[in-house]
């Protein structure tokens, strides 16, 4: 039942949200909000005392309160744009989105707007005193954002730059009268909703991996039987690939549906055919087509194509990537460009769009489309020397790419390699295997005219420099034994000694390679852990044996992390390492600033 005026005022002063009150009283959030407004119960905003009462504070940091008191927000008649930040930084919601919000604030200031930043994380640049004109330390909820938008009488709001957190608010904000500038929330929903997205791809004749939807375990098993294992399963509207998993059997799928996710009609689980050994490609583009009645009149510019070094199945936030693509054929690159342009026009995108592709042979599949800023935007911007987030903010506020002088794709004459930084040495016993669920906490860049050197630089920056000599320990799963000899030969040719346990050693010896055999951990000593602790191994190549890693593998991988030994958990990563070592042995490396490359 509804609360009395006094009870509602008391609940708000105690910090209860409209949503919580609605849940406790059996109402809708909209009904609680409407009642509050009817009785004039709205928050006031106070300045954060950044001077500790020593003298008067003027820094425009604000927080809301329902305690009675003066509202300290300074009003004016400027045209205002609200920028929704990413909220708390956690794995999956990276600092890259904060970069985009900061650049949006700078760009809109240049164009004469007053910028209003909404974010709840004091440890970011977007919450620095000189980033925006006003900062509100508030949670990124529908209720709190609406309060600020209405109090400041904003002209528009940007929800595309803070990642998935503010994006999930876009439709609700628009329904409550907020002018979401840039790509419309309806287009964002087409990209997020599996059925609408599939219909769009069918219309454009763009392939995607076979897929299905499941609201319970039985439906998931039916879908996976139709698609065939392995399948990639994930909840809809996830942050950083959380609860994403590749499953290989009915038993694994049943366990996932029972314990990993809560599925239901409102929260279906997406089931995709997993394309093994496919190359994944990330594309960031900027466009103004949504500003025109005829989208064909607009401009689309691909900022960068990033080819993943690891095969598909590793989250894009964790994968090492190369810009421009280094193994894709010209026809595949043309296909990617054609598909990207077609989807940008169909979605009437204004601003940034990220697309993830999987390439199998010469066939290009679309995995997902995000009509928003992506975590690769800062990397691409620095690699090509053009501030994509700044340009996108100006496009969202009404300018065209022709006005901004950015109409041509930039194809760099050097290589830019992105490598991820992981916190594994802080989590004792945690396996380091990469998966569709994001685990990285940062990223680094390696630039060079030689791809091998660029990759080697990225490894140095990630605190895992490649060795130039020594011993390489190899232990691979049965699925990779057919390919391991060619990789091992690359290291032998570079002067490395090969070390392996019996299974892998037998394969290498059959290929004519000399191998030092050592015991498995369960067989005795010396084993790989002993050699790692004694610093007798300089590089580890260890691919997982199936979906459930063996205890021995986990010990080897975690020991490599604690001893600072570079480790590759994919053969594609090992090939890249060999390429980097060969380049360093041949010519070493030189240091140049990013500006010199541009």
């Amino acid at each position: 039942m509804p609360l009395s005026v006094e009870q509602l005022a008391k609940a708000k002063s105690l910090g209860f949200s409209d949503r919580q009150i609605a849940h406790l009283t059996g109402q809708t959030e909209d009904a609680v909000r409407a009642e509050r407004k009817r009785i004039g119960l709205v928050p006031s905003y106070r300045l954060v005392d950044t001077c500790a009462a020593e003298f008067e504070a003027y820094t425009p940091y604000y927080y809301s309160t329902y305690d009675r008191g003066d509202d300290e927000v300074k009003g004016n008649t400027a045209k205002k744009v609200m920028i929704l930040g990413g909220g708390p930084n956690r794995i999956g919601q990276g600092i890259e989105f904060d970069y985009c919000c900061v650049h949006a604030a700078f760009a809109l200031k240049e164009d004469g707007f007053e910028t209003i930043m909404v974010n709840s994380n004091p440890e970011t640049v977007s919450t620095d005193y000189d980033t925006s004109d006003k900062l509100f330390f508030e949670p990124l909820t529908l209720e709190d954002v609406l309060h600020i938008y209405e109090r400041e009488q904003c002209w528009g709001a940007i929800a595309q730059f803070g990642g998935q957190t503010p994006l999930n608010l876009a439709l609700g904000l628009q329904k409550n009268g907020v002018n979401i500038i840039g790509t419309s929330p309806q287009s964002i929903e087409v990209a997020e909703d599996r059925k609408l997205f599939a219909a769009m791809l069918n219309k454009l004749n763009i392939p995607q991996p076979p897929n299905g939807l499941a609201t319970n375990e039985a439906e998931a098993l039916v879908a996976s039987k139709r698609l065939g294992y392995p399948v990639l399963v994930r909840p809809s509207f996830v942050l950083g690939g959380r609860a994403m998993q590749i499953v290989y059997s009915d038993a694994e799928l049943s366990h996932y549906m029972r314990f990993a996710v809560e599925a239901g009609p409102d929260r279906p689980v997406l089931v995709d055919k997993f394309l093994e050994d496919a190359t994944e490609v990330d594309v960031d583009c900027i466009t103004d087509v949504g500003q025109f009645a005829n989208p064909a009149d607009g401009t689309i510019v691909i900022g960068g194509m990033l080819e993943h070094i690891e095969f598909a199945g590793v989250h894009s936030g964790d994968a090492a990537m190369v810009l421009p693509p280094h193994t894709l054929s010209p026809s595949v690159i043309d296909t990617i460009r054609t598909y990207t342009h077609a989807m940008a026009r169909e979605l009437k995108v204004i601003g940034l769009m990220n697309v993830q592709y999987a390439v199998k042979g010469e066939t290009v599949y679309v995995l997902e489309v995000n009509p928003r800023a992506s975590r690769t935007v800062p990397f691409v911007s620095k690699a090509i020397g053009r501030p994509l987030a700044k340009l996108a903010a100006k496009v969202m506020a009404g300018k065209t790419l022709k006005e901004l002088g950015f109409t041509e794709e930039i194809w760099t004459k050097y290589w830019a390699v992105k490598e991820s930084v992981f916190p594994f040495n802080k989590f004792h016993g945690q396996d380091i295997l990469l998966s569709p669920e994001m685990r990285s906490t940062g990223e680094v860049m390696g630039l060079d005219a030689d791809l091998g050197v660029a990759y080697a630089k990225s490894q140095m920056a990630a605190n895992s420099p490649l060795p130039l000599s020594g011993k390489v320990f190899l232990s691979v799963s049965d699925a990779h034994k057919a390919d391991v000899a060619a990789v091992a030969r690359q290291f032998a040719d570079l002067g490395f000694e090969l070390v392996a346990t019996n299974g892998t050693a037998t394969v290498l010896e059959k290929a004519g390679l000399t191998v030092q055999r050592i015991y498995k951990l369960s067989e005795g000593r010396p084993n790989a852990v002993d050699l790692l602790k004694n610093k007798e191994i300089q590089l580890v190549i260890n691919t997982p044996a199936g979906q459930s890693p063996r205890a021995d593998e986990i010990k080897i991988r975690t020991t490599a992390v604690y001893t600072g030994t570079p480790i590759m958990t994919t053969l594609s990563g090992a090939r890249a390492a060999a390429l980097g070592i060969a380049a360093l042995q041949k010519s070493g490396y030189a240091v140049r600033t990013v500006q010199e490359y541009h």
Side-chain angles (χ1 to χ4, degrees):
M1 59 180 288
L3 300 177
S4 68
V5 172
E6 292 77 14
Q7 288 173 324
L8 189 55
K10 180 70 171 174
K12 296 306 291 183
S13 70
L14 290 171
F16 283 87
S17 68
D18 288 351
R19 192 173 179 182
Q20 288 172 315
I21 294 169
H23 175 73
L24 293 170
T25 58
Q27 302 177 83
T28 65
E29 184 178 354
D30 288 344
V32 174
R33 184 181 302 112
E35 175 61 15
R36 260 198 317 98
K37 288 186 174 180
R38 188 187 69 79
I39 63 174
L41 184 59
V42 293
S44 57
Y45 292 92
R46 308 282 180 81
L47 267 171
V48 175
D49 188 351
T50 51
C51 302
E54 192 171 342
F55 44 88
E56 189 174 356
Y58 292 102
T59 308
Y61 289 12
Y62 298 101
Y63 65 96
S64 65
T65 175
Y66 277 88
D67 293 336
R68 299 301 178 190
D70 294 334
D71 192 310
E72 297 177 337
V73 174
K74 298 174 178 65
N76 58 48
T77 58
K79 197 173 185 180
K80 301 171 186 175
V81 175
M82 170 191 282
I83 302 165
L84 302 183
N89 280 354
R90 63 265 196 216
I91 293 174
Q93 182 74 25
I95 200 71
E96 300 92 340
F97 295 118
D98 200 67
Y99 166 101
C100 294
C101 291
V102 169
H103 275 234
F106 291 163
L108 293 171
K109 274 188 187 181
E110 288 173 9
D111 282 3
F113 292 93
E114 180 175 306
T115 54
I116 311 291
M117 187 71 68
V118 182
N119 208 353
S120 54
N121 185 358
E123 293 296 327
T124 55
V125 182
S126 68
T127 53
D128 281 358
Y129 71 94
D130 56 353
T131 295
S132 55
D133 294 303
K134 290 178 184 171
L135 167 69
F136 287 82
F137 276 122
E138 294 292 291
L140 286 152
T141 67
L142 184 65
E143 175 184 347
D144 292 289
V145 172
L146 280 175
H147 284 158
I148 300 164
Y149 187 87
E150 291 164 0
R151 171 65 183 79
E152 286 291 325
Q153 298 179 316
C154 296
W155 167 73
I158 292 178
Q160 287 186 22
F161 282 2
Q164 193 71 38
T165 303
L167 204 69
N168 289 343
L169 298 176
L171 209 55
L173 291 170
Q174 187 189 56
K175 286 176 181 175
N176 282 276
V178 173
N179 174 28
I180 301 290
I181 63 173
T183 307
S184 73
Q186 286 72 26
S187 291
I188 292 169
E189 191 177 20
V190 169
E192 294 271 5
D193 184 285
R194 177 51 62 95
K195 291 179 181 176
L196 296 175
F197 182 54
M200 181 191 78
L201 294 182
N202 288 336
K203 176 183 174 182
L204 299 174
N205 199 27
I206 295 175
Q208 68 176 142
N211 59 78
L213 283 172
T215 59
N216 54 50
E217 183 183 336
E219 289 180 8
L221 290 167
V222 169
S224 60
K225 187 173 184 180
R226 173 174 60 84
L227 299 171
Y229 289 108
V231 294
L232 177 68
V233 286
R234 55 185 166 140
S236 45
F237 296 94
V238 295
L239 178 73
R242 280 190 294 187
M244 268 178 136
Q245 192 174 314
I246 302 165
V247 298
Y248 293 84
S249 67
D250 285 352
E252 284 182 22
L253 182 59
S254 294
H255 185 273
Y256 175 86
M257 293 300 293
R258 290 175 194 172
F259 302 107
V261 291
E262 269 187 58
D266 296 329
R267 286 182 289 195
V269 168
L270 314 179
V271 186
D272 294 330
K273 174 66 179 173
F274 178 65
L275 303 172
E276 291 190 282
D277 296 337
T279 300
E280 202 161 327
V281 181
D282 259 72
V283 175
D284 284 309
C285 79
I286 182 170
T287 173
D288 57 18
V289 296
Q291 294 181 9
F292 297 86
N294 179 7
D297 294 336
T299 304
I300 302 169
V301 181
I302 289 178
M305 293 186 192
L306 296 134
E307 181 181 341
H308 293 210
I309 288 174
E310 291 85 2
F311 283 134
V314 174
H315 191 278
S316 61
D318 288 352
M321 302 183 190
V322 178
L323 181 153
H326 63 299
T327 68
L328 302 183
S329 68
S331 65
V332 164
I333 289 171
D334 285 342
T335 300
I336 288 173
R337 186 177 290 115
T338 300
Y339 287 173
T340 303
H341 283 229
M343 288 185 289
R345 294 193 195 282
E346 183 66 22
L347 290 168
K348 298 180 176 64
V349 174
I350 304 172
L352 292 166
M353 184 179 84
N354 170 263
V355 191
Q356 291 172 23
Y357 294 98
V359 179
K360 186 94 168 169
E362 290 291 298
T363 305
V364 178
Y365 297 91
V366 173
L367 299 179
E368 64 178 279
V369 175
N370 296 301
R372 57 165 170 82
S374 73
R375 59 175 47 83
T376 48
V377 165
F379 179 89
V380 171
S381 298
K382 291 174 184 180
I384 68 172
R386 298 303 296 267
L388 294 180
K390 266 189 169 184
L391 292 167
K394 294 188 177 192
V395 166
M396 292 161 76
K399 287 193 173 176
T400 66
L401 286 172
K402 286 180 181 174
E403 286 179 275
L404 296 169
F406 187 60
T407 58
E408 297 293 328
E409 196 174 310
I410 296 174
W411 204 263
T412 60
K413 292 182 173 62
Y414 47 85
W415 301 98
V417 177
K418 177 182 93 72
E419 183 57 280
S420 299
V421 177
F422 298 94
F424 295 126
N425 59 349
K426 303 287 193 297
F427 298 98
H428 191 78
Q430 175 69 43
D431 195 10
I432 68 167
L433 279 184
L434 303 183
S435 73
E437 187 167 358
M438 185 174 165
R439 290 178 163 195
S440 67
T441 51
E443 62 185 46
V444 294
M445 172 189 279
L447 290 174
D448 203 88
D450 183 288
L451 177 57
V453 175
Y455 181 79
K457 285 180 176 180
S458 74
Q459 301 308 299
M460 293 176 203
N463 291 321
S464 185
L466 297 173
L468 298 183
S469 61
K471 293 183 178 181
V472 178
F473 171 71
L474 301 99
S475 175
V476 300
S477 67
D478 291 341
H480 298 116
K481 282 195 165 62
D483 301 313
V484 70
V487 175
R489 191 176 302 281
Q490 285 182 279
F491 284 95
D493 291 345
L494 292 169
F496 285 82
E497 296 177 48
L498 307 180
V499 180
T501 51
N502 285 334
T504 304
T506 300
V507 173
L508 299 180
E509 286 171 347
K510 281 183 180 177
L513 294 165
T514 302
V515 188
Q516 176 189 342
R517 288 179 180 250
I518 59 172
Y519 292 115
K520 291 182 178 178
L521 268 61
S522 56
E523 293 174 343
R525 309 179 85 163
N527 54 50
V529 168
D530 295 327
L531 268 59
L532 282 166
K533 288 180 177 177
N534 293 338
K535 300 287 187 181
E536 294 179 49
I537 291 175
Q538 282 65 51
L539 180 70
V540 173
I541 299 170
N542 176 233
T543 66
Q547 189 61 20
S548 301
R550 300 189 183 111
D552 283 12
E553 292 179 12
I554 296 173
K555 284 181 184 174
I556 291 169
R557 289 192 285 263
T558 53
T559 303
V561 170
Y562 300 140
T563 56
T565 307
I567 177 166
M568 304 293 157
T569 58
T570 63
L571 290 185
S572 52
R575 293 186 194 99
L579 186 70
I581 292 167
L584 291 179
Q585 287 181 348
K586 181 181 177 182
S587 55
Y589 67 94
V591 176
R592 295 171 68 195
T593 65
V594 175
Q595 289 81 1
E596 287 177 86
Y597 283 98
H598 299 154

